[in-house]
């Protein structure tokens, strides 16, 4: 067994095009570190609907140039078989370690396969790539990014010509083509022949951002902004300047791209401590709101003044605020969300006489909703201009929430005032999440098995009126690995994360509110329900 492991590692080493990972693998072989070699060669990084994502390093279970070249070759073969020979593939990348190398390798492989390749001019937000695909009439796009994953990770996200991320069966078909790639020497990789785009695409994207705002709307709200060591700053500042908003106060320590993300444990605005520097800047400057992007700027976080300090709004709260703003502006079309997001969006859409749709988790599904006007999911993702970007976009979402804050400011009101109004009109919709990060993925499988075999009859003292195993699909949803429990005044969804080693449980409590005076008691009741749901679900799942 060890001889086979060593043989596979030696074969990988012999064709590895990257000096860094060659040296890394040679050290492991010299040290005869069989445990670490097994961790890297016990399989291959799986290509799925999130593309590829994993830790950087040598071997087929890590992100590296060898893995990326094979992925690009598989994508090229898939495109050619579907009649796209000679078609354009646009490639974007973030500022993580090896991102530029992976983008260049992809361009070389596409060129060698007879496709045309165009690479964005520098590290740019993911929504610029999603925009460029449709703007340039490309047959596919690739974004090299690990979004908000830890610094040691990178990833490879694939879009097709409609500007949306891949969904089944395309993922499995591309994976089969990747698996068919033999030696890297068989993959033509010329040294030139692709195009490096200039700023025209970025300028076109910025011109499109103007469309998300209402003509003549107030532009007075003052913001503090953090790019979270990512690539969002220049694009967001340019968009804000075009719109006529006051220039955001920057969190200087996090303003420039840094692949090591030195000031945060996880470069994700949702993680504890990630927003501390932004809060400190806001305390010093007194803005109306804080805006944060994740490192590839496809997500947008918002924080607001609260009781003398600052509070992060939940993604569901921002999702409802943006929906209410669009309704007030007379938006027409379907309002969509993923099933793990708050049911308040359905209430807002219904009251406005607008269609509402639920999809599986991920913008690859939301972006495909027919007649989409607005889509969001609770993990800070918002699509406010689906004609321009069929994906979540943290830049245009930041513009729209700042416009809303400006409109409210003109009336002496705030975002939290509007949230209170929505609670009185539609009931207080409170959400929380129980997320369990694991080292051993079998823990997640065991928890899901236990819940399937012994589904809870009651949670938080409420009867489970409906228990659904989503692997069977529903009338409106294709099958997915998840469980949904409906209770009187509450809802719980349990699913393994698609991008991280986590079990994620999404909790919602809905409490009727008679008037504004009843809000404090409703919040207490909702908090009690969420705490009880979390406790009882943990016990039922054995986590």
């Amino acid at each position: 067994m060890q001889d086979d492991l060593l043989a596979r590692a030696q074969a990988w080493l012999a064709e590895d095009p990257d000096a860094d990972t060659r040296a890394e693998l040679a050290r492991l072989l010299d040290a005869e570190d069989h445990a670490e070699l097994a961790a890297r060669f016990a399989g291959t990084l799986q290509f799925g609907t999130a593309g590829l994502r994993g830790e950087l390093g040598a071997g087929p279970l890590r992100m590296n140039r060898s893995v990326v070249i094979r992925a690009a070759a598989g994508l090229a073969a898939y495109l050619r078989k579907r009649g796209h020979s000679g078609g354009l593939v646009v490639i974007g990348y973030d500022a993580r370690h090896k991102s530029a190398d992976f983008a260049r390798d992809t361009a070389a492989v596409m060129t060698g396969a007879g496709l045309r390749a165009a690479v964005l001019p520098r590290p740019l937000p993911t929504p610029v790539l999603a925009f460029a695909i449709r703007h340039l009439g490309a047959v596919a796009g690739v974004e090299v990014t690990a979004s908000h994953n830890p610094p040691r990770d990178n990833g490879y996200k694939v879009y097709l010509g409609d500007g949306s991320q891949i969904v089944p069966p395309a993922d499995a078909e591309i994976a089969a083509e990747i698996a068919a790639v033999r030696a890297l020497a068989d993959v033509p990789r010329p040294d030139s022949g692709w195009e490096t785009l200039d700023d025209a695409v970025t300028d076109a994207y910025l011109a499109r951002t103007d469309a998300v705002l209402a003509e003549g709307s107030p532009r007075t709200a003052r913001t503090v902004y953090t790019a979270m060591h990512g690539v969002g700053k220049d694009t967001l500042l340019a968009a804000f300047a075009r719109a006529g908003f006051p220039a955001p106060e920057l969190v200087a320590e996090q303003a420039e791209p840094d692949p090591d993300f030195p000031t945060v444990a996880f470069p994700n605005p949702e993680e504890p401590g990630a927003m501390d520097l932004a809060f400190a800047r806001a305390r010093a400057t007194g803005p109306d709101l804080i805006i944060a992007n994740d490192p590839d700027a496809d997500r947008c976080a918002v924080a607001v003044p609260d009781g003398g300090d600052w509070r992060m709004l939940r993604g569901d709260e921002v999702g409802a605020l943006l929906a209410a703003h669009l309704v007030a502006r007379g938006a027409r079309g379907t309002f969509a969300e993923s099933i793990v997001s708050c049911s308040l969006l359905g209430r807002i859409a219904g009251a406005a006489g607008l269609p509402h749709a639920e999809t599986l988790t991920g913008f690859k599904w939301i972006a495909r909703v027919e007649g989409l006007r607005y889509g969001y999911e609770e993990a800070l993702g918002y699509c406010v201009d689906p004609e321009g970007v069929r994906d979540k976009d943290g830049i245009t979402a930041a513009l729209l929430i700042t416009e809303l804050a400006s409109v409210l400011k003109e009336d002496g009101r705030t975002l939290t005032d509007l949230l209170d109004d929505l609670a009185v009109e539609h009931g207080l919709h409170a959400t929380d999440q129980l997320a369990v990060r694991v080292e051993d993925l079998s823990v997640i499988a065991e928890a899901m098995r236990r819940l399937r075999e012994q589904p809870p009859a009651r949670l938080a003292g409420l009867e489970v009126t409906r228990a659904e195993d989503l692997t069977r699909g529903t009338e409106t949803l294709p099958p997915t690995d998840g469980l949904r429990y409906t209770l009187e005044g509450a809802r719980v969804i349990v699913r393994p994360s698609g991008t991280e080693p986590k079990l994620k449980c999404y909790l919602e409590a809905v409490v009727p509110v008679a008037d504004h005076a009843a809000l404090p008691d409703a919040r207490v009741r909702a908090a009690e329900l969420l705490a009880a749901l979390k406790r009882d679900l943990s016990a039922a799942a054995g986590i």
Side-chain angles (χ1 to χ4, degrees):
M1 186 71 173
Q2 286 187 356
D3 288 345
D4 177 58
L5 176 65
L6 293 173
R8 279 184 285 140
Q10 292 283 5
W12 188 275
L13 178 64
E15 66 171 12
D16 190 338
D18 189 301
D20 293 337
T21 45
R22 277 201 314 271
E24 176 186 314
L25 185 51
R27 286 194 299 271
L28 292 174
L29 284 164
D30 289 344
E32 298 183 356
D33 190 340
H34 296 119
E36 183 62 25
L37 288 168
R40 293 158 181 260
F41 286 87
T44 58
L45 208 57
Q46 293 301 301
F47 185 93
T49 52
L52 293 167
R53 197 177 289 188
E55 185 176 346
L56 289 162
L61 276 171
R62 298 289 185 268
M63 280 297 295
N64 51 66
R65 290 183 61 199
S66 297
V67 164
V68 164
I69 289 166
R70 290 172 184 277
L75 174 60
Y78 170 87
L79 292 171
R80 291 175 63 184
K81 285 185 177 179
R82 276 145 193 83
H84 295 308
S85 293
L88 176 66
V89 178
V90 188
I91 303 151
Y93 59 103
D94 67 12
R96 284 177 177 265
H97 293 295
K98 299 291 183 183
S99 286
D101 294 338
F102 296 167
R104 186 185 186 281
D105 282 330
T106 301
V109 171
M110 295 300 162
T111 303
L115 293 143
R116 292 181 295 127
V119 184
L120 293 181
R122 59 187 173 279
L124 285 165
T126 293
V128 176
L129 181 276
F131 167 83
I133 295 166
R134 290 160 63 85
H135 179 69
L136 297 174
V139 298
V142 171
E143 177 70 18
V144 180
T145 182
S147 190
H148 56 275
N149 274 39
R152 65 181 182 272
D153 289 2
N154 212 327
Y156 199 80
K157 187 183 293 188
V158 176
Y159 298 74
L160 294 181
D162 63 354
S164 300
Q165 296 175 50
I166 55 169
V167 294
D171 56 341
E173 292 167 356
I174 295 170
E177 297 291 351
I178 295 170
V181 177
R182 299 304 176 200
L184 286 191
D186 297 337
V187 181
R189 285 183 288 134
D191 292 328
S192 62
W194 57 88
E195 179 185 3
T196 299
L197 296 167
D198 58 21
D199 284 333
V201 168
T202 314
D203 292 343
Y205 168 81
L206 286 168
R208 180 77 203 183
T209 64
D210 299 345
V212 306
L213 303 175
E215 188 173 348
S217 63
R219 311 281 167 93
T220 56
R222 294 172 52 249
T223 57
V224 158
Y225 172 71
T226 175
M228 205 68 67
H229 297 297
V231 299
K233 182 197 72 171
D234 291 347
T235 307
L236 181 130
L237 290 182
F240 269 56
R242 288 180 64 99
F245 288 112
E249 289 276 351
L250 298 179
V251 178
E253 302 94 326
Q254 298 174 334
E256 301 302 328
D258 187 331
D260 294 318
F261 305 102
T263 68
V264 291
F266 282 87
N268 179 355
E270 293 179 295
E271 293 285 345
M275 294 288 287
D276 287 355
L277 289 172
F279 290 161
R281 187 70 181 146
R283 293 182 194 113
T285 59
D288 298 298
L289 71 163
I290 297 171
I291 299 288
N293 286 137
D294 67 338
D296 69 326
D298 64 349
R299 298 168 194 248
C300 177
V302 180
V304 295
D306 182 55
D309 205 356
W310 287 82
R311 175 176 78 89
M312 266 276 288
L313 295 180
R314 291 190 171 275
D316 284 316
E317 291 176 305
V318 178
L321 288 168
L322 292 174
H325 184 43
L326 289 170
V327 165
R329 280 180 28 183
R332 310 304 298 173
T334 301
F335 281 38
E337 62 184 323
S338 59
I339 58 171
V340 299
S341 303
C342 181
S343 61
L344 177 57
L345 183 69
R347 303 275 184 99
I348 293 170
L354 297 174
H356 171 253
E358 282 190 320
T359 74
L360 295 184
T361 307
F363 267 82
K364 56 185 175 283
W365 299 108
I366 294 171
R368 285 179 162 77
V369 168
E370 188 174 348
L372 180 67
R373 175 58 185 88
Y374 167 67
Y376 100 93
E377 64 180 2
E378 51 72 44
L380 309 182
Y382 314 95
C383 176
V384 302
D385 178 26
E387 291 307 306
V389 176
R390 285 194 176 275
D391 198 6
K392 53 187 177 289
D393 182 346
I395 305 297
T396 50
L399 286 171
L400 197 62
I401 197 71
T402 307
E403 179 186 61
L404 173 57
S406 299
V407 169
L408 292 166
K409 185 178 182 178
E410 295 293 295
D411 294 332
R413 287 161 46 79
T414 66
L415 295 173
T416 49
D417 291 332
L418 180 52
L419 284 172
D420 288 350
D421 292 349
L422 292 172
V424 171
E425 183 176 358
H426 303 293
L428 178 66
H429 289 64
T431 58
D432 200 358
Q433 192 177 127
L434 171 64
V436 182
R437 186 180 291 272
V438 301
E439 294 292 332
D440 180 0
L441 290 176
S442 69
V443 173
I444 294 176
E446 172 59 23
M448 295 297 288
R449 183 198 63 76
R450 179 169 172 162
L451 287 171
R452 285 191 169 101
E453 292 181 1
Q454 298 173 295
R458 299 181 71 83
L459 293 168
L462 303 173
E463 181 185 355
V464 176
T465 57
R466 189 178 186 189
E468 298 169 276
D469 185 344
L470 299 177
T471 55
R472 303 187 181 102
T474 71
E475 289 183 6
T476 57
L477 298 171
T480 188
D481 187 7
L483 300 164
R484 179 164 60 182
Y485 304 112
T486 304
L487 306 93
E488 188 65 42
R491 185 209 64 195
V492 172
I493 294 176
V494 185
R495 59 179 280 272
S497 170
T499 56
E500 299 176 273
K502 279 184 177 180
L503 181 69
K504 302 182 93 170
C505 310
Y506 303 84
L507 318 173
E508 179 181 43
V510 183
V511 179
V513 182
D515 52 36
H516 282 78
L519 275 169
D521 287 344
R523 289 197 179 94
V524 170
R525 173 60 180 155
E528 291 171 348
L529 278 173
L530 290 172
L533 285 170
K534 191 177 290 190
R535 180 195 65 228
D536 292 355
L537 186 64
S538 294
I543 54 173

